[in-house]
Amino acid sequence: KVVALRRNPKRSMYDPYVKRVYGTEDVGTLMAESDYVVVAAPLTEDTMGLVSAEVISRAKKDAVLINVGRGPVVDEEAMIQACRDGTLKGAALDVTTVEPLPKDSPLWELDNVLLSPHNMDKTATFLREATDMFVNENLQRFVRGKELLNPVDRVAGY
């Protein structure tokens, strides 16, 4: 079963892949019922520290935290402690609060933490897909004065 967290849960009401969508005020509830928590949030004023020490303390037994969004969305010190004391079974991190990760970070020493070098989007087809989207879609739309695909919402911050 897939549960999700969105700033505006109503936008996923009819998503056939999601059983339930929580608002950000219910992040602790999501954490308490999830085996795997994937954090893919942008870094904004609203998301900084969203996965706080209190939220991490509510993790389901044997939960794994995966962060592919932005490092500061997760309270890294609390996550490290939770990986040490067994609150979390482990973590997989493509992002950290400080990048590159300092040599003296305790994350390097934890056997239940998987680290990758902030390259989650580097798939075999990523560059071609991004170029195709720009050249074949957005550039053509821009030249014609049409609405672009995937515009940045300057108010939301992403």
Side-chain angles (χ1 to χ4, degrees), residues 1 6-7 13-14 22 25 35 40 44 63 65 69 75 82-83 91 100 104 107 115 132 142 158:
K1 129 181 140 173
R6 286 194 76 156
R7 187 170 45 105
M13 259 176 38
Y14 302 107
Y22 292 106
E25 67 279 0
D35 296 313
T44 67
L65 181 69
D75 180 331
C83 285
D104 63 347
L107 289 169
L115 298 168
D132 283 349
F142 179 77
Y158 57 94

Side-chain angles (χ1 to χ4, degrees), residues 35-50:
D35 296 313
Y36 294 88
V37 177
V38 179
V39 179
L43 183 60
T44 67
E45 287 181 21
D46 293 334
T47 63
M48 173 130 6
L50 179 67

Side-chain angles (χ1 to χ4, degrees), residues 60-74:
K60 183 177 181 180
K61 181 173 172 26
D62 290 333
V64 175
L65 181 69
I66 302 164
N67 191 356
V68 296
R70 293 292 181 253
V73 172
V74 175

Side-chain angles (χ1 to χ4, degrees), residues 16-38:
Y17 301 106
V18 179
K19 182 167 178 115
R20 178 145 188 201
V21 182
Y22 292 106
T24 53
E25 67 279 0
D26 294 318
V27 65
T29 302
L30 178 136
M31 196 77 172
E33 70 178 70
S34 300
D35 296 313
Y36 294 88
V37 177
V38 179

Side-chain angles (χ1 to χ4, degrees), residues 125-139:
T125 59
F126 170 76
L127 191 53
R128 179 183 170 96
E129 290 167 354
T131 302
D132 283 349
M133 171 66 86
F134 175 73
V135 172
N136 299 324
E137 288 291 337
N138 271 346
L139 181 58

